[in-house]
Amino acid sequence: MNDGATVRVELGSRAYDVVVGPGLLARGGELLAPLLRRPEVVVVTDRNLERQGHLARLQQALAAGGIAQQSVVLPPGEATKSMAQLDELLDRILALGIERSTAIVALGGGVIGDLAGFAAAILLRGLDLVQIPTTLLAQVDSAIGGKTGINSRHGKNLIGAFHQPRLVLADAEVLATLPPRELRAGYAEVVKYGLIDRPDFFAWLEAEGHRVLAAEPAALARAVVESCRAKAAVVAADEREGGARALLNLGHTFAHALERVTGYGDELLHGEAVACGLVLAFALSVRLGLCPQTDLERVRRHIAAAGLPASRRAIRAEGFATDALLEAFAHDKKVEGGQPRFVLVRGIGRAFTGATVEPAALRDLLDAPDP
Ligand code: GLY
């Protein structure tokens, strides 16, 4: 497992590989060359990745593979996922004199992957895209499955398109330079896959998750590969989120509300919000009589042991106003008929969609002192 693995996302004529393993950036030229319509790419990345030398490593590898490349380096951070930065990015890429056979390579975390992916979806009515995710969260979630887009002042990810990549390269070595907080935040999405339908994987994380969080290569590779397999299976079954893909939103309705009230800033990273949202989804399911209390306790314990917020008070000691959270649910893009949608659970590894939750039950949960 130390060497990683290749996971296939089965989407017929648009199927692609997610390659997981060490040293993939350095093999970028060799891995991309067979897929390109013309040996020419535009790499989109951010200043942090440039500073850490990852862009230079990829550029060297592309040159060694005979691939001509130009790059666009953007400011890091969530604010880059904006209409203004998209406009700027499109303009800069068009100024490079691209053709329909030019491919876009997104080298970065979720922000770069979503923004550059969206640019690839709409430039010249669609360019080939390669995702090279550099955060744990992007490797196990956002780089796989073709969701691309930007934020609006009305909410996160409200403008976007489905645009599947031709290849995803998840280089395990790049994760070694991640700040521990970023690694922990990505770990929440790893835990999510265990909680949705992989109880054995969750049990493995309970035993070995500390090794994943310590970035031990073998444990980290196993966690990434298992997560990519889980994500690939869901995307292959339901690419456009007509049904099963909605399971991936476990914990996310709560998470989006928490992110909204904390202002999408440094107080709470997306993965941290997801961690708390997972606990809240289990707590809601227990209140509705769907899930054993013991499973909620296991989830709460594991999230806390990972150094992630297992309750709202772990985010903000004075708590959050129930009305502010209820108001925030209304802005979620998954609202249907004015009602927020929740993924609920019958236990660990037994998530399901389609349940309606009475506003009173939600208010009771949010009024409770904990979680
Ligand atoms: N991150 C949720 C999805 O890809 O559907």
Side-chain angles (χ1 to χ4, degrees), residues 287 311-313 319 364-371:
R287 276 178 172 266
S311 77
R312 282 164 294 152
R313 288 188 193 283
D364 281 355
L365 173 80
L366 296 174
D367 277 342
D370 203 46

Side-chain angles (χ1 to χ4, degrees), residues 36 47 177 249 258 288 316 358 360:
L36 300 178
R47 276 193 223 114
T177 54
N249 298 322
L258 289 164
L288 296 173
R316 197 178 266 185
E358 291 301 321

Side-chain angles (χ1 to χ4, degrees), residues 52-85:
Q52 288 160 347
H54 296 315
L55 174 61
R57 249 185 301 287
L58 178 63
Q59 284 172 328
Q60 236 171 20
L62 293 173
I67 299 170
Q69 50 83 31
Q70 308 187 76
S71 50
V72 178
V73 182
L74 300 171
E78 189 72 27
T80 294
K81 249 176 79 170
S82 67
M83 189 60 90
Q85 286 289 343

Side-chain angles (χ1 to χ4, degrees), residues 141-142 144-147 162 189 192-193 231 234-235 239 241 245-246 248-249 252 270 334:
D141 184 19
S142 59
I144 307 167
K147 283 189 181 177
F162 283 97
E189 299 280 4
K192 182 188 78 177
Y193 293 117
K231 175 105 193 212
V234 173
V235 170
E239 182 184 7
E241 202 165 313
R245 187 162 179 171
L248 299 176
N249 298 322
H252 278 60
H270 174 67
K334 268 92 186 178

Side-chain angles (χ1 to χ4, degrees), residues 34-54:
L35 296 171
L36 300 178
R37 291 200 261 165
R38 206 156 54 94
E40 183 183 290
V41 302
V42 176
V43 181
V44 181
T45 192
D46 73 28
R47 276 193 223 114
N48 284 343
L49 288 148
E50 182 184 42
R51 195 170 33 78
Q52 288 160 347
H54 296 315

Side-chain angles (χ1 to χ4, degrees), residues 64-143:
I67 299 170
Q69 50 83 31
Q70 308 187 76
S71 50
V72 178
V73 182
L74 300 171
E78 189 72 27
T80 294
K81 249 176 79 170
S82 67
M83 189 60 90
Q85 286 289 343
L86 175 68
D87 186 34
E88 160 97 15
L89 177 62
L90 296 175
D91 196 60
R92 285 171 71 181
I93 295 176
L94 287 169
L96 297 174
I98 54 160
E99 297 179 10
R100 279 215 165 130
S101 50
T102 307
I104 301 293
V105 177
L107 172 70
V111 167
I112 290 295
D114 285 7
L115 174 71
F118 189 36
I122 57 179
L123 273 165
L124 309 187
R125 298 207 174 88
L127 299 179
D128 284 349
L129 170 69
V130 173
Q131 291 276 9
I132 308 188
T134 57
T135 62
L136 180 58
L137 193 137
Q139 291 196 355
V140 300
D141 184 19
S142 59

